[in-house]
C-alpha cells in the first residue's frame, strides 16, 4: 500500500485530499498544527486503519517513520484575514515548512507536490493568467507575506528538482469553494453566504467590478490528483476559467439564498487583485483536465453545507483565535 503525507490535513483542501487518497486505497498520514484547520473536517477518518494524524507545525523539523511514497504540502493560511493576522507564520510555513518537507522528500525518495496559488500573479497586468506570466506582486505590501511565501516555495521546489533530482510537482490553485470552507475566513463565498443567512447586507469591496473565477472543490481535487501522477514538473494552473464580477456574484447569492439584502460598498483593500481568471490550456493538454461542476450546481451544494451550520457557528463573529500562536 502506497503511503502519502498530507500537510494542512485538517484544512479545507487538505481534508478533501485526505478523503480522495483514502478512497483511492492509500495509507494517509495527515499533519496539521490547527492554526487555521479544524479537526471536525477529518474526524470521520479517525476510525480508519489507514489514516493517522499528527498535530505538528511543519515549520519545525518533520519526522515520519517508515517508507513514504508521496508528499502533498498544503499547510498554509490561505485567506487574507488569516495571513494578515499571522504574517510571520504564513512566511515561515511557505519557506521553512517547504524546506523541511523537501528535505523529507529527498530523504524518503518521495515525490512531492506543493500547493502554490494564483496569488503569485499578484494584481495581474495580463489577462487571463497563464503559467508563463511572471506576475505583478508588491513584495512589501501587506499581502506580500502570502504571495512571496508562495513564490519562494516555487523557487526552492524547482531548486531541489534541478540540484537534487527530486521528483516535484507544483499546482497553482485559483479560487476554490465548497463544503468545509470556514464561514468567517474573509473569502468572498463564505462571506456572502454567511451575511445572507444572517440577514445582513452583502459587503462588496471597491465598486464590485473586480472579477474572480470559482472552481468547485471536487474539480480542484481531481486536477491535483492528476498532476501528482503526471510527468510535468513546472507549475500548472488548476481553476475554473468562468469569470464573474463580484457585484454580479453578490446578486447571484441573493437570488440563490432567496434573501432580500442590499449590496453595500466599502473601500478596496490594498493590492487586492482586480482580475483573476486562469488560462487552463496547459492543464487541458497535459492532464486532460477541465472543471465539470458549473457554478450554479456548486453553489447549491455549498449553500446547503452552510445552511447546516448551527446557530452558534453561524453567528460567531470570529472562528479563529491566533493569540496562542503569536510570539511577540
Amino acid at each position: 500500500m502506497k503511503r502519502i503525507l498530507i500537510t494542512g490535513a485538517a484544512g479545507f483542501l487538505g481534508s478533501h485530499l485526505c478523503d480522495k487518497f483514502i478512497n483511492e486505497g492509500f495509507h494517509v498520514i495527515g499533519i496539521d498544527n490547527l492554526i487555521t484547520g479544524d479537526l471536525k473536517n477529518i474526524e470521520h477518518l479517525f476510525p480508519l486503519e489507514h489514516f493517522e494524524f499528527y498535530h505538528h507545525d511543519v515549520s519545525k523539523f518533520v519526522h515520519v517513520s517508515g517508507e513514504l511514497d508521496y508528499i502533498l504540502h498544503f499547510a498554509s493560511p490561505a485567506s487574507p484575514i488569516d495571513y494578515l493576522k499571522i504574517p510571520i507564520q504564513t512566511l515561515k510555513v511557505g519557506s521553512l515548512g517547504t524546506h523541511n518537507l523537501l528535505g523529507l522528500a529527498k530523504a524518503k525518495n518521495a515525490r512531492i507536490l506543493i500547493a502554490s496559488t494564483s496569488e503569485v500573479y499578484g494584481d495581474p497586468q495580463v489577462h487571463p493568467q497563464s503559467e508563463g506570466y511572471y506576475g505583478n506582486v508588491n513584495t512589501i505590501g501587506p499581502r506580500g507575506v502570502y504571495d512571496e511565501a508562495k513564490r519562494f516555495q516555487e523557487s526552492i521546489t524547482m531548486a531541489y528538482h534541478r540540484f537534487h533530482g527530486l521528483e516535484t510537482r507544483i499546482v497553482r490553485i485559483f479560487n476554490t469553494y465548497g463544503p468545509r470552507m470556514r464561514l468567517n475566513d474573509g473569502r468572498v463565498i463564505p462571506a456572502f453566504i454567511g451575511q445572507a443567512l444572517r440577514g445582513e447586507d452583502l459587503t462588496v469591496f471597491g465598486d464590485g467590478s473586480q472579477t474572480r473565477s470559482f472552481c468547485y472543490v471536487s474539480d480542484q481535487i481531481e486536477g491535483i490528483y492528476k498532476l501528482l501522477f503526471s510527468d510535468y514538473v513546472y507549475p500548472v494552473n488548476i481553476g475554473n476559467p468562468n469569470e464573474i464580477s463580484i457585484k454580479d456574484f453578490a446578486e447571484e447569492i441573493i437570488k440563490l439564498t432567496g434573501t432580500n439584502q442590499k449590496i453595500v460598498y466599502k473601500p478596496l483593500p490594498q493590492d487586492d487583485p482586480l482580475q483573476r481568471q486562469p488560462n487552463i490550456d496547459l492543464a487541458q493538454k497535459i492532464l486532460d483536465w477541465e472543471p465539470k461542476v458549473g457554478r450554479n450546481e456548486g453553489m447549491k451544494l455549498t449553500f446547503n453545507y452552510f445552511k447546516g451550520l448551527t446557530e452558534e457557528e453561524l453567528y460567531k463573529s470570529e472562528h479563529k483565535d491566533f493569540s496562542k500562536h503569536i510570539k511577540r
Side-chain angles (χ1 to χ4, degrees):
M1 177 175 275
K2 297 289 187 183
R3 302 176 85 232
I4 185 167
L5 172 68
I6 300 176
T7 75
F12 169 46
L13 286 179
S15 64
H16 284 283
L17 285 165
C18 289
D19 288 344
K20 173 69 173 176
F21 282 89
I22 285 287
N23 290 337
E24 295 291 341
F26 285 74
H27 182 91
V28 175
I29 304 161
I31 287 184
D32 203 303
N33 69 343
L34 305 179
I35 191 168
T36 59
D38 195 318
L39 285 178
K40 73 178 183 181
N41 291 333
I42 51 172
E43 61 187 3
H44 61 286
L45 300 175
F46 288 162
L48 302 182
E49 178 186 357
H50 294 297
F51 179 76
E52 49 187 302
F53 176 78
Y54 297 94
H55 184 187
H56 181 69
D57 180 356
V58 298
S59 298
K60 300 167 184 172
F61 179 75
V62 180
H63 170 73
V64 174
S65 59
E67 293 184 0
L68 199 58
D69 299 287
Y70 302 100
I71 297 171
L72 300 180
H73 181 27
F74 278 70
S76 176
S79 88
I81 284 184
D82 290 348
Y83 56 70
L84 294 179
K85 286 184 176 179
I86 44 174
I88 308 301
Q89 289 82 355
T90 301
L91 284 160
K92 285 172 73 174
V93 75
S95 55
L96 302 177
T98 303
H99 188 210
N100 288 338
L101 291 158
L102 287 165
L104 179 64
K106 179 173 175 285
K108 299 289 187 178
N109 195 27
R111 178 180 299 184
I112 181 170
L113 181 149
I114 65 119
S116 186
T117 170
S118 60
E119 297 301 319
V120 300
Y121 300 121
D123 186 6
Q125 297 173 331
V126 170
H127 192 73
Q129 295 83 57
S130 67
E131 291 85 353
Y133 176 52
Y134 296 150
N136 175 40
V137 175
N138 178 1
T139 61
I140 59 171
R143 294 174 68 106
V145 298
Y146 182 66
D147 303 356
E148 288 301 314
K150 293 296 189 178
R151 286 161 72 97
F152 173 83
Q153 191 178 51
E154 290 191 8
S155 296
I156 193 172
T157 297
M158 289 308 302
Y160 263 76
H161 169 72
R162 293 188 177 110
F163 190 79
H164 292 298
L166 192 65
E167 283 202 45
T168 58
R169 305 290 183 267
I170 300 171
V171 57
R172 286 182 181 160
I173 297 168
F174 282 70
N175 296 71
T176 307
Y177 69 100
R180 301 181 194 161
M181 294 189 88
R182 273 180 35 227
L183 187 63
N184 293 325
D185 76 351
R187 285 181 273 199
V188 65
I189 287 177
F192 279 174
I193 292 180
Q195 287 174 327
L197 288 173
R198 291 189 295 265
E200 301 167 0
D201 292 334
L202 271 58
T203 304
V204 168
F205 295 96
D207 63 5
S209 64
Q210 69 270 37
T211 66
R212 295 294 183 267
S213 307
F214 301 110
C215 185
Y216 190 66
V217 63
S218 61
D219 285 332
Q220 183 66 241
I221 297 301
E222 187 62 26
I224 293 164
Y225 186 83
K226 286 190 167 188
L227 178 59
L228 178 66
F229 296 108
S230 76
D231 295 323
Y232 194 77
V233 301
Y234 297 105
V236 178
N237 290 340
I238 300 292
N240 191 321
N242 187 357
E243 185 183 26
I244 186 172
S245 75
I246 295 300
K247 181 179 183 298
D248 289 346
F249 184 60
E251 290 170 352
E252 277 192 9
I253 293 290
I254 291 170
K255 186 176 178 181
L256 169 69
T257 58
T259 52
N260 196 28
Q261 274 68 40
K262 299 194 303 289
I263 298 172
V264 296
Y265 296 88
K266 294 189 177 180
L268 192 69
Q270 183 181 344
D271 301 324
D272 193 52
L274 296 180
Q275 292 180 303
R276 184 67 82 229
Q277 182 189 23
N279 178 318
I280 61 167
D281 291 350
L282 186 60
Q284 289 172 317
K285 178 181 176 183
I286 65 170
L287 305 179
D288 190 28
W289 175 90
E290 61 184 13
K292 294 183 171 65
V293 180
R295 196 169 59 246
N296 284 344
E297 180 187 353
M299 285 306 305
K300 285 177 185 173
L301 294 167
T302 306
F303 179 51
N304 287 337
Y305 168 77
F306 282 114
K307 276 199 303 186
L309 295 177
T310 65
E311 288 281 305
E312 181 185 3
E313 290 170 321
L314 183 61
Y315 285 91
K316 201 172 183 181
S317 60
E318 177 53 68
H319 281 202
K320 287 293 173 182
D321 175 11
F322 299 126
S323 57
K324 64 184 179 183
H325 298 278
I326 297 172
K327 296 176 182 176
R328 293 194 182 276

